[in-house]
Amino acid sequence: MLDKIGIAKRIAQEVKDKYYVNLGIGIPTLVANYVNPSIEVEFQSENGVLGMGPFPFEGEEDPDLINAGKQTITTLAGASFFDSAMSFGMIRGRHVHLTILGAMEVAQNGDIANWKIPGKMVKGMGGAMDLVASAENIIVAMMHTNKHGDSKLLKSCTLPLTGVGCVKKIVTNLAVLEIVDDSFLLLEKAPGVSIDDIRNATEGNLTVPDIVPDMTV
Amino acid sequence: MISKKVKDVKEALIGVKDGMTLMLGGFGLCGIPENAIGELVQLGVNNLTCISNNAGVDDFGLGLLLQGRQIKKMISSYVGENDEFERQMLSGELEVELTPQGTLAEKCRAAQTGFPAFYTPAGYGTEVADGKETREFNGKMYVLEEAFKADFSFVKAWKGDEAGNLIFKGTARNFNPCMCGAARITIAEVEELLPAGSLDPNDIHVPGIFIQRIFQGTNYEKRIEQRTVRPKE
């Protein structure tokens, strides 16, 4: 079974040379730390920066330089700033190749719910609805089950939707899965995890090929 | 040169009244019009509808207007990090219209550039699209979203000149350029106000035509919401 770092490391393998990538808050933010250093990648933050770098050294924080999580950041060589309309133009216009974000639920048809729990304080969708509706390729990073042990990979979402039919791939603590023909196709399993473990933790349709390799992280 | 310069924040905010719809730039606490917000508190105007990506924190940014119950309705994409906001929202004192962030930016830009509405894929199939017209283009579904209508727009820039030309710094740019000229009257506050001719026309991010009033801001606090650092090796 993987921890959050393990999930981030596995997703980092999906980031390819020359990709522009938008990372959501939480596990997705960690992905930047594990991308192959020999490839060329730029990270976009939807508040208006391309070419985002690591956190600043202590004492070098700039209040005018933050990411979408409102954290202080730095920029790398080749970086640029732009306004919010242009930022979402990049996203909606499919110039950003890959979006990695977290989710509360994913359905076997690719629907995603990650912004609202009825009866709880709603903080808002931020840029998530724009990102999931537009991105060419969306990978969800999440735990396979919630803290009550219930599956987050469902036949259909029970929570209010963020987007419909948009998720392509999911990396969880148990498995890598792809959405194919209204089913979760099992691509890889985490080390030490059995196919039965994954089956038991997946409420939606699960397609299991003859050979399911272990993830390498 | 057409001068847009006014002497201070008091002169800049003449005409702001109860019940108006205001746009305010900024992302979190980054690039917010601190001086204009301070003056709105002083004026005590209320029943305001505020269009802003976020709603500040309890004791800064738009949180200051929430403390005085000056806001009737917020139109935002994300409103976390604010306990007073949560209290007013749950008690029904405050109306909240949550809008996807890219849609929010585009509704500003549509108002700025004369489009009554536009189609976006964001929110299709979700509750955001409830009651809105949808349409298929090239096999994909889109939602019709209308341009905002606002009375005043408050933006914050790094440098500006008397002609109202603006230059922003870093990610403090965010929603500010989209809100220029998107309301009946746009008021820009700047960290450094220079005579016309001091800024290279090549460097201007927003031309002064979109600005009605510009003033030299004072005492910027520029609070950091999440101070994240790495240790020096």
Side-chain angles (χ1 to χ4, degrees):
Chain A
M1 200 189 299
L2 300 181
D3 58 7
K4 288 179 179 182
I5 303 277
I7 296 173
K9 283 182 175 170
R10 176 60 190 81
I11 291 179
Q13 296 168 19
E14 304 288 324
V15 178
K16 310 292 188 209
D17 193 32
K18 314 281 192 234
Y19 266 21
Y20 291 102
V21 182
N22 181 288
L23 300 177
I25 293 162
I27 301 173
T29 306
L30 300 172
V31 171
N33 300 330
Y34 305 105
V35 171
N36 179 352
S38 66
I39 65 172
E40 294 176 2
V41 173
E42 281 193 28
F43 291 104
Q44 195 245 23
S45 198
E46 63 268 24
N47 60 316
V49 53
L50 258 175
M52 198 175 16
F55 294 149
F57 290 121
E58 202 165 350
E60 293 176 8
E61 312 92 282
D62 178 354
D64 292 327
L65 185 48
I66 62 168
N67 63 17
K70 288 132 189 168
Q71 298 170 311
T72 45
I73 54 160
T74 58
T75 53
L76 300 174
S80 56
F81 299 120
F82 35 86
D83 67 61
S84 299
M86 187 180 280
S87 180
F88 282 93
M90 288 173 194
I91 292 162
R92 213 182 295 108
R94 298 201 156 188
H95 306 288
V96 175
H97 300 104
L98 174 63
T99 288
I100 302 166
L101 77 177
M104 299 171 189
E105 295 178 347
V106 176
Q108 64 195 30
N109 65 352
D111 289 357
I112 177 170
N114 74 350
W115 75 286
K116 183 176 182 179
I117 300 174
K120 289 204 177 170
M121 167 67 187
V122 181
K123 294 189 169 186
M125 68 291 281
M129 284 194 183
D130 307 88
L131 283 158
V132 300
S134 304
E136 190 94 47
N137 190 3
I138 298 170
I139 300 178
V140 168
M142 66 177 191
M143 293 295 164
H144 212 98
T145 54
N146 65 23
K147 58 183 174 223
H148 308 294
D150 302 325
S151 180
K152 294 169 74 170
L153 288 81
L154 306 174
K155 286 188 168 33
S156 63
C157 292
T158 63
L159 295 170
L161 294 179
T162 308
V164 293
C166 48
V167 176
K168 302 286 187 289
K169 198 176 257 189
I170 306 141
V171 179
T172 76
N173 51 329
L174 303 183
V176 180
L177 310 105
E178 204 172 59
I179 305 266
V180 180
D181 297 334
D182 214 27
S183 179
F184 296 105
L185 173 64
L186 182 58
L187 297 180
E188 298 171 21
K189 54 191 173 65
V193 171
S194 72
I195 286 171
D196 277 346
D197 292 336
I198 296 164
R199 211 186 289 278
N200 290 336
T202 307
E203 191 243 35
N205 291 336
L206 184 71
T207 305
V208 182
D210 293 339
I211 298 163
V212 180
D214 272 1
M215 291 184 216
T216 48
V217 289
Chain B
M1 195 269 291
I2 302 173
S3 177
K4 306 294 172 73
K5 187 180 169 184
V6 294
K7 76 172 188 299
D8 57 17
V9 67
K10 291 214 177 309
E11 188 181 343
L13 266 70
I14 288 173
V16 179
K17 296 200 166 59
D18 290 352
M20 282 187 163
T21 297
L22 313 179
M23 288 182 168
L24 299 105
F27 188 100
L29 300 178
C30 183
I32 58 172
E34 292 185 23
N35 285 198
I37 292 169
E39 182 61 15
L40 288 168
V41 172
Q42 290 296 317
L43 287 171
V45 285
N46 53 41
N47 278 317
L48 301 172
T49 295
C50 292
I51 300 166
S52 180
N53 188 52
N54 312 94
V57 295
D58 276 317
D59 61 345
F60 200 57
L62 284 180
L64 299 172
L65 294 182
L66 288 165
Q67 278 182 5
R69 317 241 170 118
Q70 290 175 266
I71 303 177
K72 177 186 68 175
K73 181 178 179 182
M74 273 305 308
I75 301 174
S76 304
S77 85
Y78 189 83
V79 293
E81 356 295 352
N82 191 321
D83 293 337
E84 178 59 18
F85 185 99
E86 183 168 349
R87 194 197 63 71
Q88 290 186 21
M89 181 173 164
L90 294 174
S91 71
E93 291 164 66
L94 178 68
E95 193 186 333
V96 180
E97 185 177 312
L98 292 168
T99 303
Q101 198 174 124
T103 301
L104 188 79
E106 207 59 31
K107 282 165 76 89
C108 295
R109 188 161 70 168
Q112 175 192 62
T113 53
F115 291 105
F118 56 91
Y119 284 100
T120 176
Y124 175 76
T126 77
E127 64 187 60
V128 164
D130 286 351
K132 291 174 186 161
E133 185 184 325
T134 58
R135 186 168 161 182
E136 186 183 323
F137 294 93
N138 303 316
K140 188 173 164 86
M141 292 303 295
Y142 296 80
V143 183
L144 187 68
E145 293 280 1
E146 293 185 19
F148 282 128
K149 290 187 183 69
D151 297 296
F152 279 86
S153 176
F154 299 104
V155 303
K156 151 80 183 3
W158 179 37
K159 291 179 182 176
D161 67 15
E162 284 176 69
N165 297 309
L166 303 178
I167 297 175
F168 300 88
K169 180 166 167 272
T171 55
R173 191 180 315 191
N174 57 60
F175 282 82
N176 286 297
C178 316
M179 291 178 172
C180 292
R184 277 193 308 112
I185 295 173
T186 298
I187 298 170
E189 58 182 84
V190 293
E191 288 178 53
E192 193 178 359
L193 182 59
L194 298 157
S198 313
L199 299 174
D200 185 336
N202 284 303
D203 294 339
I204 303 299
H205 294 145
V206 171
I209 191 170
F210 293 114
I211 309 298
Q212 277 66 47
R213 302 173 195 167
I214 188 167
F215 68 96
Q216 169 69 59
T218 54
N219 300 318
Y220 282 103
E221 194 174 327
K222 292 198 182 185
R223 216 184 272 189
I224 291 175
E225 230 168 306
Q226 307 280 342
R227 189 178 298 274
T228 45
V229 294
R230 66 191 147 131
K232 278 191 175 146
E233 280 106 25

